Amino acid sequence: MTATANDPLPSPFPEGWYFVTSRQSLMNDKLIKRGWMGENIIVWCDDSGSVCVAEAYCPHLGADLGPEVGGCVRDGRLVCPFHGFEYQADGQCVATPFGPPPKAARLRTFESREIAGLIFAWWGIGGRPPQWHLPAEEPDQAGWSSLHIWTSRFAGHPQETTENSVDLTHLQHVHGYDSVTRVEPVSVDGAHFRSRFNFARTRRVAKVAKLKLDVAANTLIYGLGYSFVEVRERTIGLDTRLWILATPVDGELIDLSVVSQTGELRKPGRKIAGLGFLPVRLRAPIINKVMAAFEKQDVLQDIPIWSNKQYRSRPRLSRADGEIMQFRSYCAQFYPDSATSDS
């Protein structure tokens, strides 16, 4: 997405909660470094499982704490590769090899929250603390498949990707959805935005069989970094969940992570499409991989558009464009100008 002289882009770092990594990745790698919201950050957890998301540089003499240069987690503490300063999960230095730890040696940390094994951190305008929170109740994991996570990095902005939740006409033109209808008006409650709609679609599986789907989607948005979609396919009786997680990297690129999860399917309405010939324990994991492939295909259709479009602050809309301007009014609260005017 590019700007024009008359249409400067919104800030590339809107305030909110943004995806960092998954609990599974953290357990596998122990210490992770990445670009996030224009920062280099590290992520790790102590022996009790408490997660720390922090700036990736030691407050002692500025050493890079990432694993690529020797940073490590030992006995539940982050150890600096330069002088061996040790940090606990709240960011405080608690030991050095040379004497008492300096009280002022403390990592700059970001408040974090975990939902269904997905770890998010708060990015506040001017470093301010969280102004709102992600859903308090986590989705129940009993009877659901493990998460499938796919991430693509491209030039974009989280407002543009999240705007797809109200841009219903593109679902038909770009992705080939049929009978796209809004179930109820969108609703806004502070940082919470809800969009519900139904659609039909036909998908080809394994380049042979055609699969016709009748779908109800309930999209719950909390800021521009967290979209959660509850999906019900009514002919099979299949429930899936999607997280669409857009995270700015450096002011130009974003990481878009698509996370999918499928519910246990005991009595599918269509035996073949619901894999009713397989043991119950195998159905959800296999269907989840199929649904993840469908979602990946949709995102790959959108990426060239997102990456090459010009931002229009005052678009020339048609009557079919629905709630795009209502959505943009909702987005305004996440930018610095809004925070300044509210203070």
Side-chain angles (χ1 to χ4, degrees):
M1 183 176 68
T2 58
T4 64
N6 296 323
D7 276 317
L9 291 173
S11 166
F13 306 120
E15 187 168 69
W17 293 90
Y18 291 93
F19 182 55
V20 176
T21 190
S22 68
R23 171 69 68 168
Q24 186 60 56
S25 293
L26 196 55
M27 294 299 97
N28 292 341
D29 297 335
K30 309 304 181 186
L31 177 63
I32 294 173
K33 178 186 174 185
R34 63 185 36 174
W36 178 87
M37 304 302 290
E39 303 266 359
N40 287 320
I41 62 168
I42 49 167
V43 193
W44 59 285
C45 67
D46 64 16
D47 289 343
S48 69
S50 296
V51 173
C52 181
V53 180
E55 183 181 28
Y57 301 97
C58 182
H60 174 217
L61 286 174
D64 189 328
L65 297 167
E68 298 84 358
V69 294
C72 67
V73 177
R74 185 172 64 226
D75 298 327
R77 295 175 179 174
L78 174 69
V79 182
C80 174
F82 196 16
H83 294 90
F85 279 36
E86 299 181 17
Y87 297 90
Q88 60 189 18
D90 65 0
Q92 183 63 51
C93 180
V94 292
T96 82
F98 314 108
K103 292 182 179 180
R106 186 181 184 89
L107 299 171
R108 181 166 71 94
T109 60
F110 300 88
E111 186 165 338
S112 63
R113 168 77 197 281
E114 183 172 348
I115 296 179
L118 304 171
I119 298 169
F120 301 85
W122 169 261
W123 172 262
I125 295 170
R128 67 180 183 174
Q131 305 296 298
W132 44 272
H133 292 277
L134 294 176
E137 294 186 8
E138 291 199 32
D140 183 13
Q141 296 298 299
W144 288 80
S145 72
S146 59
L147 301 178
H148 181 283
I149 304 175
W150 174 76
T151 301
S152 180
R153 177 171 291 187
F154 56 91
H157 192 284
Q159 179 173 315
E160 295 281 2
T161 58
T162 309
E163 193 168 273
N164 271 20
S165 62
V166 296
D167 185 4
L168 301 189
T169 55
H170 103 282
L171 296 177
Q172 179 175 345
H173 188 73
V174 177
H175 304 305
Y177 292 18
D178 298 318
S179 306
V180 182
T181 56
R182 182 161 296 289
V183 174
E184 61 186 29
V186 299
S187 64
V188 180
D189 181 11
H192 178 210
F193 189 102
R194 177 174 173 173
S195 175
R196 296 184 64 197
F197 54 91
N198 296 336
F199 63 91
R201 71 189 308 182
T202 301
R203 286 289 195 178
R204 187 174 294 277
V205 180
K207 298 181 180 181
V208 179
K210 284 187 176 181
L211 184 61
K212 293 184 178 181
L213 304 174
D214 179 20
V215 180
N218 180 29
T219 302
L220 304 171
I221 298 170
Y222 290 80
L224 303 184
Y226 184 95
S227 296
F228 176 60
V229 189
E230 298 171 309
V231 180
R232 174 73 173 178
E233 202 295 316
R234 291 177 285 209
T235 64
I236 302 173
L238 177 67
D239 292 304
T240 59
R241 296 167 174 162
L242 294 172
W243 285 265
I244 313 297
L245 310 174
T247 303
V249 177
D250 58 3
E252 178 181 351
L253 302 175
I254 66 171
D255 283 339
L256 186 68
S257 297
V258 181
V259 184
S260 63
Q261 189 175 41
T262 297
E264 187 177 79
L265 190 59
R266 291 193 167 274
K267 296 180 179 180
R270 288 187 286 168
K271 187 172 183 179
I272 299 298
L275 305 183
F277 52 90
L278 291 176
V280 172
R281 63 182 177 82
L282 298 179
R283 295 173 193 170
I286 293 175
I287 293 176
N288 196 44
K289 290 183 179 180
V290 173
M291 301 305 291
F294 288 167
E295 292 304 321
K296 180 178 180 179
Q297 180 179 332
D298 281 355
V299 171
L300 290 176
Q301 289 173 328
D302 281 322
I303 285 176
I305 299 172
W306 286 326
S307 298
N308 293 286
K309 70 192 298 290
Q310 288 187 340
Y311 178 69
R312 292 286 188 263
S313 62
R314 305 178 80 176
R316 304 302 187 247
L317 299 176
S318 73
R319 291 182 179 180
D321 286 317
E323 301 85 2
I324 286 179
M325 294 313 292
Q326 184 178 356
F327 174 77
R328 293 192 178 187
S329 294
Y330 158 80
C331 293
Q333 65 187 296
F334 307 121
Y335 293 103
D337 289 346
S338 174
T340 300
S341 63
D342 290 343
S343 60

